[in-house]
Amino acid sequence: MSASAGDQEPYSFQFVAAPDDLAPYLNSLYIWRSTEAELADVLPAYSGQMAAFAMGKARMAFDDGAVGESSDAFFLAPLCQARSFQVRGPAVLFGVSLNFRGWAAVCGLSVHDHHDKFLPADMVLGESLAVEFASLAPRWRDGELDDDGILAAMAGIVRRSLSELPPAHLEVIDRTLEWLSSSFKPALDDLYDTLPYSKRQVQRLVAQFFGQSPVRLVRRYRAVRAATLLSLPQLGEEMEADIREAFYDQAHLIKEIRFFTGRTPKRLQPQTQSPVNGMLGPEGYGAVDLFGSGEAQQLGRDPT
């Protein structure tokens, strides 16, 4: 379903559900389109992406003046904060949004060491699958593959690249996500109590799989969850109160949402046009539940 209001919009997000066998590893598949010759915006802090720019080119600014440039086939490592980008269009991007289980199972790279950067496909997939991945965008441009075909081929590459995660690693990832989903401000001791490791080991493992310490993760997910909820057309009074109570004051709310999503509460309104607002909506998330059971109802999900 497009994230735009209609066919006249200059950009759109179409989210496609992950195949059943890949659902534990993916948020979704997606197609992003823009008819604009030039656009600039900010991408929210988000999980790792497998991306094929079939039309157009993109650049993203990182720390210390580093700039990533898109190609027919590349990976965007998980982002720990919002990042500015520019696109020369018209553009068509095909993507596979990996959740944190998927990032660990597909590439095995520590998010602590590899985040907020573009990665060449062969670094993640190895040479053979990287060559196959790089062939997909040209085949789409030549008409050999349609939209469904290129997404199916990307899913197939993910399927063949998966490694079985050790149960201990899965436990860290899943327990951490459950902890983050439990509250806007979950207690650190609740996380330490649920894992059979010392506090120092938990901190190291969380950084390995999420790129940040538990304290930093709370800030990040609190801001992203608040932004997602504030982007809904309607929000119950109880949830609005929960959001307000999660931050010191309005200035703190605005600062945190801007740092992690590149937006202000005003820019999150449903009628506000943005090329990436769809990533903050409920369709942008799949197998990983970033929201607690109460929020599942707000998002129109079955909390069971």
Side-chain angles (χ1 to χ4, degrees):
M1 181 170 120
S2 171
S4 299
D7 294 338
Q8 301 305 310
E9 299 293 350
Y11 27 72
S12 66
F13 252 120
Q14 179 184 351
F15 292 97
V16 178
D20 289 345
D21 63 317
L22 296 180
Y25 305 100
L26 307 182
N27 295 318
S28 69
L29 312 178
Y30 59 88
I31 307 169
W32 179 82
R33 289 184 169 89
S34 172
T35 61
E36 299 283 89
E38 302 278 347
L39 69 85
D41 211 300
V42 182
L43 193 68
Y46 210 66
S47 57
Q49 308 294 306
M50 177 184 184
F53 254 93
M55 287 179 59
K57 292 288 184 181
R59 291 164 56 91
M60 183 170 288
F62 300 113
D63 292 336
D64 300 322
V67 176
E69 297 197 1
S70 68
S71 64
D72 283 350
F74 67 101
F75 282 77
L76 172 60
L79 299 180
C80 293
Q81 67 180 77
R83 296 291 179 180
S84 299
F85 70 89
Q86 299 82 38
V87 174
R88 294 200 313 271
V92 179
L93 167 65
F94 295 93
V96 175
S97 179
L98 298 159
N99 63 34
F100 287 97
R101 300 184 202 104
W103 184 262
V106 168
C107 65
L109 296 174
S110 166
V111 183
H112 181 264
D113 298 326
H114 300 280
H115 63 86
D116 293 80
K117 64 178 70 173
F118 286 179
L119 299 176
D122 59 356
M123 181 177 179
V124 176
L125 298 173
E127 183 176 357
S128 177
L129 285 177
V131 169
E132 181 178 341
F133 181 23
S135 74
L136 299 182
R139 291 171 62 195
W140 179 87
R141 290 192 290 267
D142 291 341
E144 182 182 344
L145 291 174
D146 61 12
D147 292 356
D148 291 340
I150 191 171
L151 287 181
M154 291 172 72
I157 291 172
V158 170
R159 187 175 289 112
R160 283 178 284 149
S161 68
L162 286 172
S163 299
E164 186 174 356
L165 292 175
H169 290 181
L170 275 173
E171 182 180 30
V172 171
I173 295 170
D174 291 347
R175 296 295 84 75
T176 300
L177 286 164
E178 289 171 4
W179 170 72
L180 287 167
S181 298
S182 66
S183 166
F184 272 106
K185 295 193 292 185
L188 285 173
D189 285 343
D190 290 345
L191 175 63
Y192 298 139
D193 290 345
T194 196
L195 290 169
Y197 305 104
S198 69
K199 290 183 179 181
R200 185 175 295 275
Q201 287 175 309
V202 170
Q203 291 165 358
R204 178 181 60 80
L205 288 167
V206 168
Q208 175 181 338
F209 295 118
F210 293 89
Q212 296 173 303
S213 69
V215 171
R216 184 80 167 187
L217 274 181
V218 169
R219 284 185 57 204
R220 172 181 161 185
Y221 277 79
R222 177 180 60 193
V224 171
R225 292 166 76 200
T228 298
L229 291 165
L230 290 170
S231 72
L232 297 177
Q234 294 182 333
L235 189 61
E237 293 182 3
E238 182 178 351
M239 193 59 65
E240 285 188 11
D242 287 345
I243 294 172
R244 288 196 300 270
E245 291 173 5
F247 299 88
Y248 298 124
D249 52 30
Q250 183 74 3
H252 181 226
L253 167 70
I254 293 171
K255 179 181 178 181
E256 291 289 277
I257 288 180
R258 181 185 290 122
F259 183 83
F260 289 106
T261 74
R263 278 152 176 69
T264 63
K266 184 176 181 179
R267 287 195 65 201
L268 290 166
Q269 297 305 308
Q271 67 271 20
T272 303
Q273 211 175 73
S274 165
V276 296
N277 263 6
M279 295 188 79
L280 289 171
E283 286 184 300
Y285 301 102
V288 176
D289 183 9
L290 298 184
F291 315 98
S293 59
E295 291 159 20
Q297 184 177 2
Q298 289 283 347
L299 294 169
R301 292 181 172 177
D302 181 356
T304 59

